[in-house]
């Protein structure tokens, strides 16, 4: 069980990550690459990614086991600023931290294990070893993550829109209660099933919520409680292929291909600027399309200051599904994962 303890200051400092984290997505996708589960969602991605990968995975496999602990230094906070910033932070990891976290990684596999030669050089902070690690991470990202980045970003932005609406409706408590059901908000504690027992006291530092495309099953936190607290949790995939198209050609014939794309982009909620980016239209055009769909009863718009959040009505969700039901499409809150 994982238990994250909040006080009043922590609730005031809960915040959402602005974008996907390059290294969290890389490391968690490496888990998915070796995981046979979730074939419907990740199966096609696995096949495509494996055709692009060469020797990058050999070093990563020594650092990232299929389950359990992997070094915190692989997912620095700078990952939210892009891959280059993240890799610079990895290179700047102090040797003492490298050694302690790598030793812990090996100990989790077997208490009698010693660091292999390649990891020993890395644990000592040797520049050539760090260069090899950075090269492996960069090559893996380019092969397995970067080709899908626009889709990953769209899913994360959709999740942010859902959380933002919860925050507007009821504050930080409502935001925490809106997280996928693998996370349970029991004030003042956020709980989740976890491979080991962990107690994380925020002590006024707040918590960064990081939605992740490749996280599956359980959320993830850093093992080192002295680091800035971050909770990585899975976005919804809804039991469909992760990179598949779900709006059929019949919808395009009915409302037009551009408006069909706009309706699909609003599926999990989004702002007007996010809508424009996902649908590939101008900001003015996105606003106009949303207005037409709103007048038709397919979309509802929530205003907050200068920003708006577009979400589907039950009729819009039913149309997107092909008219199977008049009930609103629920937020897929069944994203169990492990890491």
């Amino acid at each position: 069980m994982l238990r994250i303890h909040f006080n009043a200051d922590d609730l005031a400092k809960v915040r959402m990550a602005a974008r996907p984290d390059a290294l969290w997505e890389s490391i968690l996708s490496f888990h998915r690459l070796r995981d046979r589960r979730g074939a419907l969602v990740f199966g096609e991605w696995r096949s495509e990614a494996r055709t692009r990968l060469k020797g990058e995975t050999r070093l990563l496999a020594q650092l990232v086991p299929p389950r359990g602990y992997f070094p915190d230094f692989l997912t620095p906070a700078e990952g939210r600023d892009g891959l280059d910033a993240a890799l610079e932070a990895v290179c700047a990891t102090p040797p003492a931290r490298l050694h302690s976290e790598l030793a812990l990684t090996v100990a989790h596999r077997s208490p009698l294990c010693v660091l292999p030669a390649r990891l020993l050089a890395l644990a000592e902070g040797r520049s050539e070893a760090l260069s090899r690690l950075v090269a492996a991470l960069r090559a893996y990202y380019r092969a397995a993550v970067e080709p899908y980045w626009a889709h990953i970003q769209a899913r994360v932005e959709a999740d942010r829109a859902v959380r933002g609406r919860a925050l507007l409706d009821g504050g930080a408590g409502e935001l925490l209660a809106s997280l996928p059901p693998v996370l349970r908000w029991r004030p003042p504690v956020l709980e989740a099933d976890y491979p080991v027992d962990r107690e994380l006291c925020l002590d006024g530092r707040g918590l960064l919520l990081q939605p992740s495309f490749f996280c599956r099953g359980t959320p993830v936190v850093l093992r080192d409680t002295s680091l800035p607290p971050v909770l990585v949790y899975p976005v919804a995939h809804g039991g469909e292929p992760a990179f598949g198209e779900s709006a059929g050609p019949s919808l395009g014939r009915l409302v037009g291909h551009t408006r069909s794309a706009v309706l699909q982009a609003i599926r999990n909620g989004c702002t007007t600027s996010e809508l424009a980016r996902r649908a590939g239209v101008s900001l003015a055009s996105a606003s106009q399309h949303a207005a037409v769909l709103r007048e038709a009863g397919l979309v509802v718009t929530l205003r907050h200051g200068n920003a708006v959040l577009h979400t589907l009505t039950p009729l819009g969700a039913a149309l997107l599904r092909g008219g199977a039901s008049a009930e609103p499409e629920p937020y897929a809150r069944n994203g169990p994962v492990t890491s």
Side-chain angles (χ1 to χ4, degrees):
M1 182 75 73
L2 168 68
R3 298 179 181 86
I4 303 176
H5 299 265
F6 290 74
N7 61 31
D9 289 338
D10 296 315
L11 286 173
K13 295 177 182 178
V14 173
R15 59 206 187 278
M16 289 292 303
R19 58 188 62 85
D21 184 295
L23 284 188
W24 273 114
E25 296 297 348
S26 295
I27 299 302
L28 292 175
S29 72
F30 190 50
H31 282 291
R32 303 290 77 79
L33 189 71
R34 297 173 293 173
D35 188 353
R36 295 183 180 180
R37 294 172 297 173
L40 176 61
V41 176
F42 295 109
E44 185 176 350
W45 166 80
R46 287 190 189 108
S47 298
E48 292 179 359
R50 283 170 178 156
T51 64
R52 299 190 191 96
L53 290 167
K54 297 177 183 177
E56 303 91 345
T57 60
R58 287 196 291 271
L59 176 56
L60 295 184
Q62 294 186 56
L63 295 170
V64 183
R67 293 180 181 82
Y69 173 79
F70 57 83
D72 289 339
F73 70 77
L74 290 176
T75 52
E78 290 81 359
R80 297 188 298 275
D81 298 324
L83 184 67
D84 290 339
L87 294 180
E88 287 179 10
V90 170
C91 277
T93 306
R97 181 180 171 191
L98 289 170
H99 189 278
S100 64
E101 292 187 8
L102 289 172
L104 189 58
T105 301
V106 173
H108 271 261
R109 298 183 184 183
S110 171
L112 300 179
C113 279
V114 295
L115 286 172
R118 182 176 291 185
L119 292 190
L120 184 60
L122 183 60
E124 294 172 351
R126 297 180 190 173
S127 59
E128 65 274 13
L130 283 166
S131 295
R132 282 195 297 268
L133 173 59
V134 165
L137 288 169
R138 188 184 298 278
Y140 177 86
Y141 171 84
R142 287 177 172 170
V145 179
E146 187 177 49
Y148 310 94
W149 191 253
H151 191 92
I152 292 168
Q153 189 169 32
R155 286 294 183 94
V156 168
E157 288 178 347
D159 184 272
R160 278 170 44 82
V162 173
R163 306 302 155 223
R165 183 172 186 175
L167 181 65
L168 291 175
D169 287 345
E174 186 69 20
L175 166 60
L176 294 171
S178 79
L179 293 171
V182 68
L183 289 154
R184 301 175 292 276
W185 175 234
R186 295 172 178 168
V189 179
L190 185 64
E191 296 182 349
D193 294 332
Y194 211 64
V196 297
D197 284 331
R198 292 286 308 278
E199 303 284 341
L200 175 57
C201 296
L202 300 177
D203 296 327
R205 294 175 295 169
L207 181 67
L208 176 68
L209 298 174
Q210 177 68 65
S212 168
F213 186 89
F214 284 107
C215 187
R216 182 179 181 274
T218 60
V220 188
V221 295
L222 298 170
R223 188 182 190 280
D224 187 348
T225 58
S226 69
L227 295 171
V230 57
L231 175 69
V232 182
Y233 67 88
V235 300
H237 293 295
E240 61 192 23
F243 302 101
E245 296 294 334
S246 57
S250 59
L251 180 59
R253 289 195 297 269
L254 177 64
V255 300
H257 292 295
T258 299
R259 203 153 287 158
S260 171
V262 169
L263 194 64
Q264 174 68 21
I266 298 175
R267 182 175 189 166
N268 290 318
C270 62
T271 65
T272 304
S273 60
E274 290 165 354
L275 173 58
R277 184 162 55 252
R278 294 180 201 172
V281 298
S282 69
L283 193 62
S285 180
S287 181
Q288 182 181 16
H289 284 302
V292 172
L293 294 172
R294 184 167 59 251
E295 291 169 4
L298 303 178
V299 168
V300 63
T301 298
L302 175 70
R303 297 187 177 276
H304 181 68
N306 294 326
V308 297
L309 175 71
H310 307 291
T311 57
L312 297 182
T313 64
L315 179 60
L319 178 62
L320 197 58
R321 293 197 306 274
S325 169
E327 293 299 315
E329 182 172 351
Y331 170 62
R333 300 181 64 176
N334 58 349
V337 265
T338 185
S339 88

